[in-house]
Amino acid sequence: MATIAEKKTGPISRNRLLGIAGLGWLFDAMDVGILAFVIAALHEDWGLTSSQMGWIGSVNSIGMAVGAFVFGIYADRVGRKKIFIITLLLFSIASGISAFTTTLAAFMILRFFVGMGLGGELPVASTLVSESVPAKERGRVIVLLESFWAAGWLVAAVISYFIIPSFGWRVALLLTALPAFYALYLRINLPDSPQFSAKKDVLRSISTNIKDVWSEKYRRPTLMLWIVWFTVVFSYYGMFLWLPSVMVLKGFTLIKSFQYVLIMTLAQLPGYFSAAWLIERAGRKFVLVTYLIGTAISALAFGNADTITLLIVSGAFLSFFNLGAWGALYAYSPEQYPTVIRGTGTGMAAAFGRIGGVLGPLLVGTLLTAGANLNVIFGIFCVSILIGALAVAFLGKETKQLELE
């Protein structure tokens, strides 16, 4: 018998949904990617210390934690589509205004609101798409949705390489904010999740939803998700927001650093596509654990690399495995809960993970200020990622082709 998703979502509308959600995902990634390069540019432009640079990334993650928690909860109350649009609008406006700031304090305040939009949109987008496609291809479609993140990072790297050195970081930020309004236009006619629409008359309080996420039935998957989200976000933002700056610290010029990071970023696309190919064949657990272990090994190699060849190769593998793991995580997370608490459960896990996103960049800035070596810093991220892999391996259950409740 056909599922709700199969009845309501044909091949054309499914592709359209993927394109619309993916376009917004691409613009989100452009902003996060641009921020990594802008931090490096602000270091030279405003004379920021390592600690101040770390705080920019952390404030962004604080906003993402708040956004994931608040908007994830309300997605179960008012619908996925409405939250989808609200979060994109918040992100777009704040990102555009941040291009005109002249003080670090004003820039960080706006980055908080940008983070709120980003943090709220990403888990809600994956929930919307996962509820709108059949079980047999749900994992693959979600990973393909995540692949738009790599495309966004590539565009960010290209903009940073060609625009920031010649026209400055303000123009780069404006370029990343303007296209998001196109995605907003597309989303106005986007239907809501068929599974949410079928159960939207079931009125449940926010406190009941939060309590159910930690009920005996869902305690184990919730604990697993919180651990893996924290470790993955902690390491991702600690490593990737600092990547251009780390290359500068290793002795390369700003332009050369941007060029090398662009090369490393290219490896994100095959990382996503390989994960998309494997996830409906080998399963979510296998892909997530394998790619997390690959990320951990690559992080350790990158931190200890002492030649440009080793830096680029290990950095490329870091991008390949880390972003493939992200795709699997976004596919895996919504599958742990029924429709009535799916937005809440996924949003809470993402929100807890964003605490790691706050601590990661701060840790790098603090350790660099204290004179720590990069191999020690990336060793910490290696251990963190391995903890996440162990949590999935021992606490997670396989959800391949599972029909959503």
Side-chain angles (χ1 to χ4, degrees), residues 154-196:
L154 280 171
V155 175
V158 170
I159 289 174
S160 299
Y161 181 65
F162 290 104
I163 299 296
I164 292 180
S166 301
F167 302 100
W169 56 270
R170 298 180 191 277
V171 175
L173 280 178
L174 282 174
L175 288 174
T176 62
L178 292 175
F181 288 100
Y182 175 63
L184 178 62
Y185 164 76
L186 289 176
R187 287 180 186 178
I188 291 174
N189 297 314
L190 181 70
D192 210 332
S193 154
Q195 294 200 7
F196 174 81

Side-chain angles (χ1 to χ4, degrees), residues 1 24 38 41 52-53 62 78 97 139 172 199 201 232 237 251-252 269 300 303 310-311 331 334 354 365-366 374 387:
M1 190 169 74
V38 167
Q52 289 172 321
M53 292 163 70
I62 292 171
V78 303
I97 296 174
K199 297 189 176 184
D201 294 329
V232 168
Y237 283 92
F252 300 102
L269 282 170
L300 197 61
L310 285 175
L311 274 172
R354 300 303 171 187
T366 302
L374 288 171
I387 291 171

Side-chain angles (χ1 to χ4, degrees), residues 78-102:
V78 303
R80 286 50 163 142
K81 175 188 172 181
K82 288 180 181 177
I83 298 300
F84 211 9
I85 293 172
I86 290 169
T87 51
L88 181 62
L89 189 60
L90 175 62
F91 143 73
S92 302
I93 293 172
S95 185
I97 296 174
S98 69
F100 300 99
T101 54
T102 56

